[in-house]
Amino acid sequence: MTRSEARDSIFRIVFREAFFPAEGMEEQTEGYLAALGEEPEVFLPGMKKEIEEQDLEYIRTKVDAILERTEELDVMLEGASKDWKMNRVGKAELAILRVAAYEIRFDEDIPGKVAINEALELTKKYCDVKAVPFVNGVLNQLLLQTDPAADGADGAAE
């Protein structure tokens, strides 16, 4: 499983948080992962190989980390957006922003530019095209707040 495929699944689970109480998210995560393991082609069309337990554990660990920091991530995102409260952002866009914000701030294995570019790909896939510049702007600002020497994502508004 590629990181992009894993990130897609992470996004899908984090997106569910908007519809289920926090107490139910472990069940939602495990249900998604069980279904993904049984029929990966349904969730990730074009996937080239079988999903391994280590892939499922990577997704599980990352989802747990993001959901544990949801409030902190939202505060960071609000600070990076210009006068936008996260409760005004669409649910899909918010889930994408949370995943990318976590990667930018807390995941040392993923460069900030990669996190942003991957978030933009998810935005193009799951959101209105008009959301791409917004997601790009917020995440680039967050990256600059994290690393003032960073130069942001390339090709962001395509």
Side-chain angles (χ1 to χ4, degrees), residues 11 15 18-19 84-98 126-128 131 134-135:
F11 155 73
F15 176 72
F19 304 99
W84 275 82
K85 298 291 182 197
M86 289 303 105
N87 64 1
R88 291 182 56 207
V89 177
K91 290 173 179 32
E93 291 88 342
L94 182 56
I96 292 167
L97 286 167
R98 286 174 175 164
Y126 292 109
C127 306
D128 187 286
F134 174 75
V135 169

Side-chain angles (χ1 to χ4, degrees), residues 3 36 39 48-49 53 67 74 86 103 112 132-133:
R3 283 238 175 128
L36 177 64
E39 298 183 281
K48 301 290 187 241
K49 67 176 198 165
E53 184 56 39
L67 294 178
D74 288 356
M86 289 303 105
E103 291 179 342
V132 173

Side-chain angles (χ1 to χ4, degrees), residues 17-88:
E17 187 268 340
F19 304 99
F20 295 94
E23 310 83 54
M25 283 309 296
E26 184 175 343
E27 182 179 331
Q28 287 296 314
T29 300
E30 293 308 317
Y32 177 90
L33 293 176
L36 177 64
E38 291 171 14
E39 298 183 281
E41 67 283 353
V42 171
F43 294 90
L44 300 168
M47 196 166 144
K48 301 290 187 241
K49 67 176 198 165
E50 194 172 306
I51 296 176
E52 298 175 12
E53 184 56 39
Q54 68 188 32
D55 297 326
L56 298 175
E57 188 55 35
Y58 176 82
I59 294 168
R60 184 181 293 113
T61 300
K62 193 97 157 235
V63 166
D64 289 346
I66 292 166
L67 294 178
E68 285 175 15
R69 289 188 162 102
T70 297
E71 289 179 30
E72 181 181 1
L73 294 169
D74 288 356
V75 168
M76 286 188 278
L77 290 166
E78 284 183 8
S81 64
K82 302 223 188 299
D83 301 322
W84 275 82
K85 298 291 182 197
M86 289 303 105
N87 64 1
R88 291 182 56 207

Side-chain angles (χ1 to χ4, degrees), residues 127-148:
C127 306
D128 187 286
V129 68
K130 294 176 185 174
V132 173
F134 174 75
V135 169
N136 181 49
V138 171
L139 293 176
N140 272 304
Q141 185 61 37
L142 181 64
L143 180 60
L144 289 173
Q145 290 172 357
T146 303
D147 178 8

